[in-house]
């Protein structure tokens, strides 16, 4: 293979020579570093060689230089962004307003705001207890559990999903057991998990793992299945071995679905974690919230809830950001982010 | 002399399909797609395969590409039986088949990367090929940023990057509008003349097949057989003006006659059986799904 390939490299620059009579082509090569320069040269050459290689100069396709793209995106979307931000403020503001009014007038019509703390009380709670070691420690414990459970789920779910998606036999072997285990919600695992694992910490991480695992696995499988078969055939024709096919085609091709799975998995992981912490926990944000309830510390309940909301938001935000960085092509996909 | 030239002079890229038969499914679902087909492509020759829809053109190409195994007969490349896909046969598909997650240049480099060629050489080769396709300034774009014609041009040079001995093309311009098609045909003849490799080209466009080919095989309706083999004696290089010459017109007429017979033969059973219901006028007891 190596010698063949090197022979080919020799062949190509020679082929290139055939087109050298066109001076424009030579000019284009020397100034190729500057994309805009190439474009002007190409435009200039278009009338000359139009019968042979017409350069579609009129295509209004933006060039891909990261800073350029960012700048143009910023320039284009500033107005859009402002509207988006304004609507976000309205949406969150409405929630707080409802809460504020409900607690201020002790709203009571089937739902009861009698014992609900006011936003101000919760804010006080945050400034007093909020930045205490106990509170931060609980957050740290929860985050550690989430990260452990989530990354184990990802490390097992993605490769297994790729294999199940690709190989009929692997699918036949794993799918029956997956189909049985999948409908069992992570919370239903709590008693079993406590029996199964040697300590409390491991059993909570396990429950978090269960929550994240199935969305990641199933979305990965779906990603492999929705990969266009012609891409696999194209890769085969270009000499891709089985392993390279996985690495260079099946994995990147399923990446959008994998990230959907990661985002959903992260959400379910939080749900499972909080439930597990409330039922069996020591420490953690879920435990903090439940403890506040048993101690009749109402502002702390709301503080715990808001904390959970923000942590969940931050985690899915990070996943989305990593997704954008890892999959820049999606910005141009039909029906994509733009 | 370039290496590319020496390749053809040592007679590489000879496709030989012998007594090929392909059957899909079994028992009640059995479909005989191709029956008793023999054809060949000489080294450096441009051969088209033309025939009515469903006659097994794609099936034949898939066999030469190595995706499908024939039920009967054999397909040989330079005397060796074809068993699996490989980079000695470049394939251009009817659907766009660029990897959307790779930039245009990385797409062209893909075959070289699989062959273990180092990055700097890959880069040089890919840029030379993109220049040839007139798309060097788009090397860092993603496929989704390109028009259909541009994608197919890149598909062609990507298939050429590993210097295959043959190029297999399955209606590569089928999805393009007429003007773009004509331009693409000229680009393809240009590229082909530079590389001088064997091409097996599938189309259902008569003018396209004459304009591009040295030889044309006409297939019958399913089960596909070779109905006729026609030589195209037009001189090269081919120019767009040639399509107006009497020689070209005569060839078009000849092929049209052959194809019309087959298209009618392909439709006849359905038209006879169902009458106008086939056109949606009346739906049979099993519903429309049966008709289409
Ligand atoms: N994998 C398959 N399983 C079953 N039948 C198949 C399969 N592939 C093709 N066929 C059948 O074989 C016949 C020939 O198909 P093929 O795709 O080769 O036709 P074609 O000449 O390329 O048609 P078109 O011009 O419409 O692309 C068709 O009747 C089709 O239904
Ligand atoms: Mg076809």
């Amino acid at each position: 293979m190596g010698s063949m390939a090197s022979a080919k490299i020799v062949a190509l620059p020679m082929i290139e020579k055939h087109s050298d009579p066109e001076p424009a082509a030579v000019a284009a090569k020397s100034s190729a570093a500057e994309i805009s320069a190439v474009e002007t040269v190409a435009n200039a050459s278009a009338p000359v060689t139009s019968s042979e290689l017409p350069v579609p100069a009129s295509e209004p396709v933006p060039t891909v230089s990261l800073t350029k793209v960012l700048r143009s995106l910023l320039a284009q979307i500033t107005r859009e962004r402002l509207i988006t931000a304004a609507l976000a403020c309205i949406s969150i503001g409405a929630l707080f307003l409802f809460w504020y009014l409900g607690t201020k007038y002790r709203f009571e019509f089937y739902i009861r705001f009698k014992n609900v703390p006011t936003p101000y009380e919760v804010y006080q709670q945050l400034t007093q207890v909020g930045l205490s070691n106990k509170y931060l420690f609980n957050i740290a414990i929860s985050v550690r559990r989430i990260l452990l459970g989530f990354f184990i789920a990802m490390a097992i779910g993605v490769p297994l999903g790729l294999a199940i998606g690709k190989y009929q036999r692997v699918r036949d072997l794993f799918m029956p057991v997956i189909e049985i285990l999948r409908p069992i919600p992570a919370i239903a695992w709590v008693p079993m998990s406590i029996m199964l694992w040697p300590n409390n910490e491991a059993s909570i991480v396990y429950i978090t793992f269960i929550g994240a695992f199935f969305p990641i696995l199933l979305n990965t499988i779906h990603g492999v299945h929705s990969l266009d078969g012609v891409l696999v055939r194209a890769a085969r024709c270009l000499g891709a071995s089985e392993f390279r096919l996985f690495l260079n085609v099946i994995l990147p091709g399923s990446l959008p679905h994998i990230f959907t799975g990661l985002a959903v998995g992260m959400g379910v992981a939080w749900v499972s974690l909080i439930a597990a912490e409330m039922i069996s926990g020591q420490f953690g944000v879920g435990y903090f919230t439940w403890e506040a309830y048993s101690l009749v510390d109402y502002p702390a309940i709301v503080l715990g809830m808001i904390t959970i909301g923000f942590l969940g938001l931050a985690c899915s935000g990070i996943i989305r950001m990593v997704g954008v960085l890892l999959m820049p092509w999606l910005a141009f996909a039909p029906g994509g982010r733009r | 002399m370039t290496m590319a030239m020496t390749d053809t002079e040592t007679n590489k890229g000879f496709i030989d399909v012998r007594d090929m038969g392909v059957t899909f499914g079994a028992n009640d679902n059995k479909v005989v797609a191709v029956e008793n087909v023999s054809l060949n492509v000489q080294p450096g020759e441009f051969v088209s395969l033309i025939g009515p829809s469903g006659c097994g053109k794609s099936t034949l190409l898939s066999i030469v590409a190595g995706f499908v195994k024939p039920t009967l007969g054999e397909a040989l490349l330079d005397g060796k039986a074809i068993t699996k896909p490989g980079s000695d046969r470049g394939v251009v598909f009817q659907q766009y088949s660029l990897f959307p997650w790779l930039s245009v240049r990385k797409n062209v480099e893909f075959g070289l990367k699989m062959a273990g060629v180092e990055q700097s050489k890959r880069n040089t080769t890919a840029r030379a090929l993109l220049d040839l396709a007139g798309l060097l300034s788009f090397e860092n774009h993603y496929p989704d940023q390109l028009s259909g014609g541009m994608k197919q041009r890149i598909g062609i040079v990507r298939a050429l990057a590993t210097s295959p001995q043959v190029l297999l093309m399955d209606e590569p311009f089928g999805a393009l509008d007429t003007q773009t098609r004509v331009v693409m045909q000229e680009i393809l003849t240009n590229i082909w003349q530079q590389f001088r490799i064997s091409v097996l080209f599938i189309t259902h466009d008569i003018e396209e097949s004459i304009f591009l080919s040295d030889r044309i095989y006409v297939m019958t309706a399913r089960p596909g057989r070779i109905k006729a083999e026609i030589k195209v004696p037009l001189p090269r290089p081919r120019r767009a003006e040639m399509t107006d010459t009497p020689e070209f017109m005569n060839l078009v007429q000849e092929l049209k006659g052959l194809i019309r017979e087959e298209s009618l033969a392909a439709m006849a059973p359905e038209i006879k059986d169902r009458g106008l219901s086939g056109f949606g006028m009346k739906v049979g007891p099993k519903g429309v799904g049966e008709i289409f």
Side-chain angles (χ1 to χ4, degrees):
Chain A
M1 207 68 206
S3 67
M4 232 169 83
S6 62
K8 277 149 198 165
I9 305 304
V10 178
L12 280 164
M14 307 241 197
I15 286 154
E16 207 183 324
K17 275 209 185 93
H18 290 271
S19 58
D20 275 356
E22 304 156 20
V26 183
K29 257 164 252 157
S30 58
S31 64
E34 192 69 38
I35 287 172
S36 56
V38 174
E39 266 172 345
T40 38
V41 172
N43 289 354
S45 77
V48 186
T49 59
S50 62
S51 67
E52 291 162 19
L53 300 175
V55 178
S58 58
E59 301 261 349
V61 187
T63 52
V64 176
S65 120
L66 197 64
T67 51
K68 249 189 180 177
V69 165
L70 282 178
R71 209 178 306 141
S72 70
L73 274 180
L74 269 180
Q76 275 175 23
I77 298 175
T78 315
R79 215 183 108 85
E80 294 293 308
R81 282 241 170 109
L82 281 178
I83 297 173
T84 309
L87 288 177
C89 288
I90 290 174
S91 140
I92 293 173
L95 179 68
F96 273 84
L97 190 69
F98 178 66
W99 177 19
Y100 171 74
L101 293 178
T103 48
K104 182 171 184 197
Y105 296 107
R106 296 284 150 207
F107 182 75
E108 216 158 321
F109 183 77
Y110 198 68
I111 54 167
R112 302 156 298 151
F113 274 81
K114 198 168 58 192
N115 291 326
V116 177
T118 63
Y120 183 67
E121 283 170 324
V122 176
Y123 173 74
Q124 272 186 322
Q125 181 79 16
L126 178 70
T127 51
Q128 292 162 21
V129 192
L131 299 172
S132 70
N133 283 341
K134 185 183 143 221
Y135 173 74
L136 293 178
F137 180 70
N138 280 323
I139 289 180
I141 290 281
S142 285
V143 168
R144 199 185 72 174
R145 287 168 178 163
I146 275 286
L147 291 183
L148 269 175
F150 179 78
F151 278 107
I152 296 172
M154 188 170 80
I156 300 177
V158 171
L160 186 62
L162 292 177
I164 290 176
K166 181 79 198 335
Y167 299 110
Q168 182 64 37
R169 290 293 164 241
V170 181
R171 184 183 176 78
D172 292 345
L173 181 65
F174 281 94
M175 274 327 261
V177 67
I178 287 167
E179 290 297 350
I180 289 179
L181 293 180
R182 187 172 63 112
I184 304 172
I187 304 161
W189 275 95
V190 171
M192 171 61 90
S193 185
I194 292 168
M195 288 190 288
L196 209 56
W197 294 90
N199 58 53
N200 198 43
E201 203 55 29
S203 62
I204 292 181
V205 169
Y206 176 72
I207 289 160
T208 314
F209 159 83
I210 289 284
F213 179 69
F214 289 106
I216 294 176
L217 179 78
L218 294 174
N219 277 284
T220 307
I221 296 173
H222 180 59
V224 179
H225 285 171
S226 60
L227 184 68
D228 193 348
V230 76
L231 297 181
V232 174
R233 271 180 284 145
R236 282 253 156 79
C237 288
L238 292 165
S241 62
E242 194 71 16
F243 176 70
R244 298 244 186 179
L245 190 70
F246 254 98
L247 207 64
N248 292 294
V249 179
I250 294 176
L251 179 62
S254 336
L255 217 49
H257 285 279
I258 293 177
F259 266 87
T260 307
L262 294 180
V264 176
M266 182 56 95
V268 182
W270 271 106
V271 172
S272 316
L273 172 79
I274 298 302
E277 284 178 346
M278 283 186 165
I279 296 170
S280 75
Q282 295 154 346
F283 316 119
V285 186
Y287 170 77
F288 173 91
T289 310
W290 192 253
E291 191 197 30
Y293 177 68
S294 25
L295 296 178
V296 207
D297 185 358
Y298 295 140
I301 295 178
V302 179
L303 180 62
M305 289 171 67
I306 292 178
T307 310
I308 295 167
F310 271 99
L311 289 177
L313 180 72
C315 286
S316 49
I318 290 169
I319 291 178
R320 210 171 309 138
M321 236 169 58
V322 174
V324 170
L325 289 177
L326 278 182
M327 305 180 289
W329 70 90
L330 287 188
F332 310 105
R337 270 186 241 120
R338 282 218 298 200
Chain B
M1 272 294 131
T2 66
M3 298 288 289
M5 291 283 187
T6 16
D7 266 5
T8 60
E9 274 157 20
T10 53
N11 283 341
K12 282 214 146 182
F14 174 54
I15 303 171
D16 193 9
V17 174
R18 291 186 193 159
D19 310 320
M20 177 75 68
V22 185
T23 311
F24 288 112
N27 305 327
D28 286 353
N29 304 328
K30 197 158 138 180
V31 175
V32 182
V34 175
E35 200 171 71
N36 198 21
V37 166
S38 295
L39 59 82
N40 61 69
V41 182
Q42 301 297 324
E45 194 183 22
F46 199 120
V47 172
S48 284
L49 198 57
I50 190 166
S53 183
C55 73
K57 304 182 293 293
S58 298
T59 307
L60 261 173
L61 190 115
S62 304
I63 287 170
V64 180
F67 302 129
V68 176
K69 291 213 164 48
T71 321
L72 293 169
E74 55 183 354
L76 308 171
L77 175 64
D78 294 325
K80 283 197 288 284
I82 292 166
T83 54
K84 61 177 195 310
S87 57
D88 52 351
R89 282 149 289 148
V91 181
V92 182
F93 300 89
Q94 173 163 15
Q95 314 96 299
Y96 303 127
S97 61
L98 299 181
F99 304 117
W101 54 88
L102 295 179
S103 70
V104 164
R105 178 162 50 74
K106 295 271 176 204
N107 261 286
V108 178
E109 285 178 18
F110 191 88
L112 297 169
K113 187 176 174 191
M114 295 302 113
V117 178
E118 69 182 65
Q119 173 65 59
S120 62
K121 280 187 184 167
R122 296 206 300 255
N123 195 310
T124 324
T125 311
R127 289 174 59 89
L129 282 165
L130 283 171
D131 197 18
L132 191 68
L135 288 170
L136 187 54
S137 54
F138 292 89
E139 61 172 336
N140 292 320
H141 284 59
Y142 285 104
D144 282 325
Q145 293 174 279
L146 306 180
S147 70
M150 294 157 97
K151 284 186 208 172
Q152 280 311 55
R153 263 187 281 169
I154 292 162
I156 294 170
V157 292
R158 181 180 69 175
L160 291 170
T162 50
S163 301
Q165 286 133 28
V166 302
L167 191 57
L168 309 171
M169 308 178 88
D170 189 354
E171 301 193 34
F173 309 143
L176 306 179
D177 60 86
T178 321
Q179 286 85 343
T180 316
R181 250 183 123 104
V182 171
V183 175
M184 292 292 288
Q185 288 161 13
E186 288 200 52
I187 293 174
L188 178 60
T189 44
N190 269 337
I191 292 179
W192 173 71
Q193 290 203 319
Q194 298 197 13
F195 278 78
R196 280 281 158 202
I197 62 175
S198 328
V199 178
L200 181 58
F201 186 93
I202 289 177
T203 179
H204 55 239
D205 184 323
I206 292 171
E207 277 89 354
E208 180 171 270
S209 69
I210 298 171
F211 183 78
L212 291 170
S213 314
D214 297 319
R215 213 144 47 84
I216 302 171
Y217 286 104
V218 183
M219 288 182 75
T220 66
R222 202 183 68 219
R225 273 172 257 131
I226 301 293
K227 182 187 175 82
E229 181 192 336
I230 290 175
K231 282 212 158 55
V232 182
L234 301 175
R236 288 190 186 272
R238 305 263 163 90
R239 296 260 167 255
E241 306 84 70
M242 284 183 188
T243 52
D244 298 328
T245 61
E247 293 99 310
F248 195 94
M249 304 282 207
N250 287 340
L251 281 168
V252 173
Q253 285 314 316
E254 186 182 349
L255 276 164
K256 268 196 180 148
L258 289 165
I259 301 269
R260 192 176 298 122
E261 281 171 33
E262 286 313 315
S263 301
L264 281 175
M267 305 250 268
E270 281 147 48
I271 291 173
K272 214 165 32 190
D273 289 357
R274 300 187 214 283
L276 285 176
S277 68
F279 301 104
M281 304 297 237
K282 198 182 96 195
V283 176
K286 282 182 190 164
V288 186
E290 190 196 13
I291 295 159
F292 292 103

